[in-house]
Amino acid sequence: MQNVQTSKIRFDGGPYPRARLGFVCVANAGLTEGDMFRMRPDGVGLSFTHMRMRKECTVENLAQMEHDLDEALAGFLPARNDLDVLCYNCTSGSFVIGEEVIRRKLEAGRNGVIGTTLLSGVVAALQALGVRRLSIGTAYTPDIDALEKAYFEQQGFEVVATEGLSLTTDVKMNLVSPASLLDFTVGLDRPDADAVFLSCGALRSLEIIEDAERRIGKPVVGSNQASFWHCLRLTGIRDKVTGFGKLLEI
């Protein structure tokens, strides 16, 4: 006989009926969760996991994360099947490891999940903004900058300027003040650039994007901003979120 109380239960779409987004962050990340929750529309659920990363951001350490990704994914929401998008949220790791490699790992054993990377989100964002010529500012050292420049050129963009802050730890990247980052961003602008991209989810770019756009009169794209915009669009959500730059309003 069916339990009387159980028979009275009614189910609905849950607390996040519009979409559930998952983010795989590097272990040293200090901004991702806060940035994503600031941009989150009502009805969208966010889940996060962290994967192992060595102390310094180097090409060698970024490449090693390919093997650590499997371990992080194994313990991430193993009993849920309601995740819509799963994003590897590391800009530099995306082009060092390779987007297709990462995407296959994200989607393995998760039926219906769309796997993506932060870098895929940046490319989609730049294309949506009609950008062809790009100025790039990063938190990284020159060797990583060179790899990033080559990546964007392979995607069909003309990179008119590249400049890095030569920082190697997430702690230092997080501590770059918004005022300093704003000056850095404005200084990256070039007459022939269609937009400026601030590369690295550890920089506090979300805090200065609107001010920077007003100063240079062009779109400014940040790593976490582009990643979140792309994940929303992959689920079909097209809400215009104000306060975080032109991208989230298209």
Side-chain angles (χ1 to χ4, degrees):
M1 180 180 295
Q2 188 178 24
N3 183 282
V4 174
Q5 294 300 320
T6 302
S7 67
K8 294 181 179 179
I9 294 175
R10 300 292 182 267
F11 296 96
D12 60 16
Y16 308 114
R18 301 181 69 195
R20 290 186 66 95
L21 310 179
F23 296 91
V24 182
C25 313
V26 298
N28 298 320
L31 297 179
T32 308
E33 290 95 332
D35 277 0
M36 300 316 190
F37 274 107
R38 288 176 67 185
M39 295 181 283
R40 181 184 69 90
D42 290 341
V44 176
L46 307 180
S47 298
F48 302 87
T49 190
H50 289 78
M51 59 181 295
R52 185 164 57 131
M53 182 184 181
R54 288 75 188 166
K55 181 178 179 180
E56 295 193 335
C57 181
T58 67
V59 174
E60 293 75 20
N61 288 345
L62 290 168
Q64 287 186 44
M65 285 198 294
E66 177 181 348
H67 307 290
D68 300 324
L69 182 55
D70 295 322
E71 181 180 350
L73 290 171
F76 185 48
L77 304 177
R80 300 195 70 106
N81 61 0
D82 57 351
L83 199 63
D84 297 294
V85 175
L86 182 53
C87 178
Y88 173 78
N89 210 71
C90 177
T91 321
S92 52
S94 298
F95 58 75
V96 170
I97 298 171
E99 292 169 281
E100 189 53 41
V101 171
I102 295 170
R103 192 175 294 111
R104 286 199 300 268
K105 289 177 178 286
L106 296 175
E107 294 180 351
R110 295 177 184 264
N111 292 334
V113 170
I114 301 173
T116 189
T117 74
L118 189 157
L119 196 60
S120 300
V122 172
V123 171
L126 294 172
Q127 291 172 341
L129 289 166
V131 174
R132 292 292 176 264
R133 295 175 299 278
L134 182 64
S135 183
I136 301 174
T138 85
Y140 319 127
T141 50
D143 54 342
I144 300 177
D145 290 345
L147 292 175
E148 182 159 5
K149 180 176 183 291
Y151 168 84
F152 279 102
E153 289 174 340
Q154 290 166 3
Q155 300 302 309
F157 297 97
E158 179 184 345
V159 179
V160 300
T162 306
E163 186 176 346
L165 296 174
S166 293
L167 302 174
T168 60
T169 69
D170 281 64
V171 172
K172 285 289 188 183
M173 295 171 187
N174 292 169
L175 292 175
V176 176
S177 72
S180 179
L181 190 58
L182 177 59
D183 290 341
F184 177 61
T185 306
V186 173
L188 287 165
D189 185 31
R190 300 291 185 275
D192 53 345
D194 299 322
V196 172
F197 169 46
L198 287 176
S199 178
C200 188
L203 293 175
R204 290 146 70 184
S205 57
L206 201 63
E207 299 182 35
I208 60 93
I209 283 176
E210 289 226 315
D211 285 343
E213 289 185 335
R214 282 192 287 268
R215 291 269 295 273
I216 68 175
K218 299 174 184 178
V220 175
V221 174
S223 285
N224 288 338
Q225 174 219 37
S227 179
F228 191 75
W229 170 86
H230 188 229
C231 288
L232 285 180
R233 297 303 182 260
L234 286 174
T235 70
I237 294 174
R238 306 200 64 82
D239 292 32
K240 296 183 179 182
V241 182
T242 60
F244 306 108
K246 181 179 178 180
L247 175 64
L248 281 165
E249 297 181 9
I250 63 172

